[in-house]
């Protein structure tokens, strides 16, 4: 029958189970406009409610209350745990990607064959017209210049 999902429609042996979930993952359990929660209810046949705010001593925990026949409650618990595991795996993957990006940014891009990296100075004063200043500011630019670091340029863009 519709709504008896994983519990086979058992009607005896009602049970209630309360699960603590991290506040940061409550949105994943609820889903957009409650869609994940509705899916869990529909598939398990249990009544599943997520507290609207953190309860108890720990402000980082929300309560999920599951009520129904024992088999439905256990099935719903498994579905909630699956959502939590997916959320934790997603968090770990995003953290790893952020760490890789930070490492890549701090090291600069890897050298590529046929490409160069150059510091380019945007001059406040065009040194081409002040050749007397070249020896002093040729390598590091003038204090008033803006320095850009550009990578991945074709070799022809490199300064001689």
């Amino acid at each position: 029958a519709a709504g008896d999902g994983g519990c086979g429609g058992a009607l005896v042996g009602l049970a209630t189970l309360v699960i603590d979930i991290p506040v940061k993952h409550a949105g994943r359990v609820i889903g957009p406009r409650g869609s994940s929660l509705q899916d869990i209810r529909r598939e398990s046949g249990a009544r599943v409610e997520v507290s609207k705010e953190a309860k108890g001593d720990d402000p980082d925990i929300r309560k999920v209350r599951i009520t129904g026949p024992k088999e439905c409650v256990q099935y719903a618990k498994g579905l909630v745990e699956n959502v939590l595991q997916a959320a934790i795996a997603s968090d770990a993957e995003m953290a790893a990607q952020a760490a890789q990006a930070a490492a890549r940014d701090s090291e600069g891009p890897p050298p590529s064959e046929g490409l160069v990296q150059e510091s380019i100075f945007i001059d406040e004063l065009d040194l081409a017209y002040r050749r007397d200043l070249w020896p002093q500011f040729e390598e590091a630019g003038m204090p008033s210049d803006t320095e850009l670091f550009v990578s991945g340029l074709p070799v022809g863009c490199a300064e001689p």
Side-chain angles (χ1 to χ4, degrees):
D4 64 5
C7 70
L11 297 175
V12 272
L14 293 179
T16 297
L17 176 68
V18 178
I19 303 172
D20 291 342
I21 63 169
V23 166
K24 69 180 185 174
H25 296 309
R28 293 286 294 268
V29 172
I30 297 168
R33 302 175 87 112
S35 62
S36 296
L37 195 54
Q38 288 297 332
D39 291 344
I40 292 169
R41 290 172 180 154
R42 186 173 27 262
E43 188 172 337
S44 69
R47 181 176 181 181
V48 184
E49 299 170 339
V50 178
S51 64
K52 298 227 184 278
E53 55 190 47
K55 304 254 183 188
D57 298 334
D58 193 343
D60 297 326
I61 297 293
R62 299 232 338 235
K63 304 284 186 186
V64 177
R65 182 180 184 89
I66 306 170
T67 306
K70 290 178 187 176
E71 295 84 1
C72 296
V73 168
Q74 288 305 310
Y75 192 75
K77 176 186 174 197
L79 294 174
V80 170
E81 288 172 347
N82 289 345
V83 170
L84 291 175
Q85 287 173 356
I88 290 166
S90 176
D91 285 354
E93 183 178 333
M94 286 194 304
Q97 289 173 352
Q100 288 174 347
R104 205 174 35 246
D105 291 346
S106 68
E107 297 169 2
S112 298
E113 204 171 308
L115 300 178
V116 295
Q117 299 175 346
E118 285 289 323
S119 286
I120 300 172
F121 294 96
I122 300 173
D123 298 326
E124 290 292 322
L125 173 65
D126 187 354
L127 292 180
Y129 294 106
R130 295 289 311 269
R131 294 187 185 276
D132 58 314
L133 296 176
W134 272 13
Q136 186 178 356
F137 298 110
E138 182 178 13
E139 288 300 313
M142 296 182 68
S144 61
D145 291 348
T146 301
E147 180 180 8
L148 300 174
F149 183 76
V150 182
S151 64
L153 295 170
V155 174
C157 292
E159 288 191 77

